[in-house]
Amino acid sequence: MKPEDGTLHVFDDAAALARGAAEWLTDRMRDKHGHEARIALSGGSTPKPVYEALAQPPLDSRFPWDDVQFFIGDERFVPTTDPASNYGMMLGALFEHVPVSDRNVHPVPTEGVTIEQAADAYQKVLAAVYGADTLDPARPLFDVVLLGLGDDGHTASLLPGQPVLGVTDRWVAPVTHGRTEPRVTLTYPALNSAAHVAFLVSGAGKRAILDRVLSGGADVPAARLRPTGTVHWFVDRAAAGSRA
Ligand SMILES: O=C1O[C@H](COP(=O)(O)O)[C@@H](O)[C@H](O)[C@H]1O
């Protein structure tokens, strides 16, 4: 990813970032004018306030809930009730509070299946909603991909040093060699096929890695994305540092 290709949006603090990113996301969905949209949501802690902002006035009534299909960019392979579950976080922050149909929300299966079966099943759901099992360069898989940035440079569950970084023949893959719990993640081909990719980065703890990625000097998973569409960085002043 070439840093100069991205647009930097700097906000005073994490709360302002959340409101700004939620408004931007709502506008991108309304741009579709009633045509179905597909979003990949980020897990982790940073997007939670964004989801909470979407679930509150005025965005809860502006967001076109019926027109959007929601996918999870990466999931820890734990039950939804586990505090580490990304979907569990999204339920509590967003989906339990808004008028979205269950038909529009696609969690990664994490119970009663092996992790390989979960990844295969999720790929099939994505392909069914996309309407094809190969990517059409003229028609992105996602309208928006939301992503976080780990302090080690990971994004989604593209973790440094993992075999998943080399996967190019599938959209969804298991991640089983890391120091964390096993995970299921969208791969580079899936994340890159997006009209818009938006990174959400907040807090002073992210300043160093954000600076390395934006200056083009970091060979970390987030920096190896090659999105087909636009790239946006939603950051707060604490993370932006001297870029604010
Ligand atoms: O493990 C994960 O971490 C990254 C970054 O999360 P954050 O808590 O630092 O915002 C996140 O993007 C990813 O979805 C998540 O599974």
Side-chain angles (χ1 to χ4, degrees):
M1 183 169 48
K2 287 189 289 178
E4 63 271 24
D5 292 341
T7 303
L8 187 63
H9 309 259
V10 182
F11 298 87
D12 281 344
D13 54 29
L17 186 167
R19 284 193 302 275
E23 282 167 11
W24 175 88
L25 183 62
T26 302
D27 289 343
R28 297 294 74 72
M29 295 300 100
R30 290 174 66 93
D31 288 346
K32 296 283 294 186
H33 301 295
H35 293 282
E36 187 177 87
R38 295 176 292 277
I39 299 181
L41 297 176
S42 171
S45 56
T46 313
K48 188 175 177 207
V50 178
Y51 304 151
E52 289 168 341
L54 288 173
Q56 289 164 23
L59 297 182
D60 57 344
S61 55
R62 282 196 71 225
F63 194 95
W65 300 106
D66 290 343
D67 300 333
V68 180
Q69 298 285 328
F70 294 91
F71 292 88
I72 317 294
D74 72 307
E75 183 57 282
R76 292 84 180 265
F77 200 60
V78 296
T80 301
T81 50
D82 189 300
S85 168
N86 281 335
Y87 180 58
M89 177 274 288
M90 293 167 196
L91 275 176
L94 178 63
F95 294 127
E96 286 174 351
H97 311 288
V98 295
V100 64
S101 163
D102 289 348
R103 289 190 305 276
N104 292 33
V105 181
H106 306 284
V108 177
T110 58
E111 294 176 77
V113 289
T114 66
I115 194 165
E116 287 81 10
Q117 288 168 338
D120 287 348
Y122 208 55
Q123 168 124 2
K124 288 192 176 84
V125 172
L126 250 180
V129 174
Y130 180 60
D133 56 12
T134 54
L135 292 172
D136 175 350
R139 195 169 66 88
L141 183 55
F142 296 108
D143 296 280
V144 173
V145 169
L146 292 184
L147 289 172
L149 179 67
D151 52 16
D152 59 356
H154 81 267
T155 194
S157 283
L158 299 175
L159 306 176
Q162 291 283 314
V164 70
L165 301 181
V167 173
T168 56
D169 60 349
R170 53 196 293 191
W171 301 345
V172 188
V175 182
T176 54
H177 296 84
R179 282 175 297 171
T180 66
E181 65 285 290
R183 296 160 175 232
V184 173
T185 190
L186 299 186
T187 61
Y188 281 122
L191 295 171
N192 283 334
S193 181
H196 308 285
V197 167
F199 282 91
L200 309 170
V201 188
S202 92
K206 299 287 176 70
R207 188 182 302 169
I209 186 65
L210 178 67
D211 186 54
R212 286 179 60 210
V213 171
L214 290 182
S215 62
D219 184 19
V220 294
R224 288 186 221 158
L225 277 171
R226 297 288 179 272
T228 54
T230 68
V231 179
H232 297 263
W233 294 87
F234 289 88
V235 309
D236 63 8
R237 284 189 188 281
S242 61
R243 294 175 189 274

